[in-house]
Amino acid sequence: MKHKLVCTIALVFLANTAHAQTYVVGVENLAFMPHYSTDKQGNYCGFAREVLDLFAATAGIQFDYRPLSGERLLAALLQGEVDFKYPDNPTWAQGQKAGKNLSYSQAVVNYVDGVLVPPMRQGQGVDKLQRLAIVNGWTPWAYQARVEAKHTQLIASDDLPAMIKLALRKDADGAYFNIVVASYYLDNIRAQPGALVFDPKLPFTRGTFNLSSSRHPQLIQRFDQFLIEQHEQIAKLKDKYQVEANLDSEFMGMEQWKVDALKRQKAKQTH
């Protein structure tokens, strides 16, 4: 069953909110649901917002979210203009971060970046992937050798909707993106569920979203403890937003309603 995630502001105040320390969290000004997004009023929302708000409430602090472009966000972190950056990962932008004393939290959420193709192209193999659509700023690490050898040509686009159009119009053989986010966009925004599907037989990359800081290593440690202590609550938020939907199963990248339908179909075939 499909559901629509609604951007909401879940500010949770303690009794001493007026005296709570406020920290600035630099976040991506990007439509990246169900992980995060910024609505028309400039409010940050989604799974990440709920997790970070929950931490602030338990720690007795306040977070002020500052949406920035991806390039500007990293600069703001390195220049000390924001207290924290989300998402981040120790493997990202290593050259720019060299010599900087950054602290990273444990993983907040897992993700998979991979290729979505029209259903009829699923399982054809990497040699058939001659034109790969990407969003500017994304690097398909698993395909770098093929790109350098000119076996795969990258076709850049400005954003996710433009990239999806390339694949749907067959101007590209596939589209490389976060598979949960791309599937959410197809199902809930474009309203074309199944028009493109993740191909697990093509190379893909696993990673994690982490919280980082150059100024507050103690709060990063406190956040790590929060991830342990609030594990059950965070798991409920992951389930609510489906941010890790079937990432470790044969149904990787599919929304739960699709998985349930396929399981019912398989059950009928075995009886």
Side-chain angles (χ1 to χ4, degrees):
M1 178 177 181
K2 285 197 268 187
H3 65 281
K4 185 176 182 180
L5 302 180
V6 180
C7 290
T8 59
I9 305 176
L11 293 176
V12 183
F13 293 96
L14 299 181
N16 62 344
T17 294
H19 307 289
Q21 177 68 45
T22 299
Y23 299 91
V24 178
V25 183
V27 296
E28 286 189 320
N29 187 15
L30 181 67
F32 205 73
M33 290 296 279
H35 285 277
Y36 51 83
S37 188
T38 305
D39 66 19
K40 293 180 180 179
Q41 289 72 44
N43 300 311
Y44 186 60
C45 52
F47 166 77
R49 174 67 187 259
E50 289 214 41
V51 171
L52 293 171
D53 275 356
L54 182 60
F55 169 63
T58 59
I61 60 177
Q62 286 185 287
F63 278 154
D64 178 22
Y65 299 97
R66 184 175 298 172
L68 298 166
S69 67
E71 183 178 335
R72 186 71 192 89
L73 177 54
L74 178 57
L77 175 73
L78 299 180
Q79 295 168 13
E81 297 173 15
V82 297
D83 296 295
F84 299 93
K85 176 181 182 291
Y86 187 89
D88 207 344
N89 186 287
T91 65
W92 297 353
Q94 291 182 342
Q96 292 170 267
K97 294 175 178 177
K100 305 293 183 180
N101 189 23
L102 297 179
S103 299
Y104 297 90
S105 74
Q106 295 299 308
V108 177
V109 64
N110 297 288
Y111 72 84
V112 170
D113 290 344
V115 177
L116 291 93
V117 298
M120 66 183 67
R121 296 187 63 92
Q122 194 175 31
Q124 291 187 1
V126 71
D127 289 335
K128 297 291 186 180
L129 195 68
Q130 298 179 0
R131 300 168 303 165
L132 181 60
I134 62 168
V135 173
N136 283 323
W138 282 65
T139 302
W141 296 109
Y143 294 87
Q144 285 303 95
R146 290 188 57 81
V147 171
E148 291 171 5
K150 298 185 178 180
H151 295 315
T152 296
Q153 174 190 0
L154 298 182
I155 304 176
S157 53
D158 291 335
D159 52 28
L160 173 60
M163 181 189 67
I164 293 295
K165 284 182 182 178
L166 286 173
L168 291 175
R169 291 198 309 249
K170 300 181 181 179
D171 292 330
D173 301 315
Y176 182 89
F177 208 70
N178 180 292
I179 63 172
V180 167
V181 175
S183 297
Y184 177 89
Y185 171 78
L186 281 163
D187 293 351
N188 299 282
I189 308 300
R190 196 175 176 91
Q192 288 183 273
L196 298 175
V197 295
F198 171 62
D199 191 340
K201 295 187 181 300
L202 294 174
F204 59 87
T205 302
R206 290 184 180 271
T208 60
F209 288 162
N210 308 62
L211 182 68
S212 68
S213 178
S214 63
R215 305 169 65 181
H216 305 288
Q218 297 88 352
L219 274 177
I220 292 292
Q221 293 177 2
R222 201 167 173 185
F223 184 71
D224 283 344
Q225 189 62 33
F226 156 80
L227 293 176
I228 297 171
E229 294 173 350
Q230 299 294 325
H231 174 76
E232 291 186 4
Q233 185 62 31
I234 294 170
K236 289 179 181 178
L237 290 174
K238 288 180 179 181
D239 184 60
K240 171 184 174 182
Y241 285 93
Q242 293 285 286
V243 287
E244 291 181 344
N246 305 296
L247 291 189
D248 293 308
S249 78
E250 62 181 305
F251 305 110
M252 188 187 298
M254 293 186 189
E255 285 198 326
Q256 192 58 48
W257 67 273
K258 292 183 185 177
V259 175
D260 293 341
L262 288 172
K263 286 182 176 179
R264 286 195 298 269
Q265 183 179 353
K266 284 190 174 184
K268 290 180 180 179
Q269 292 172 351
T270 58
H271 287 81

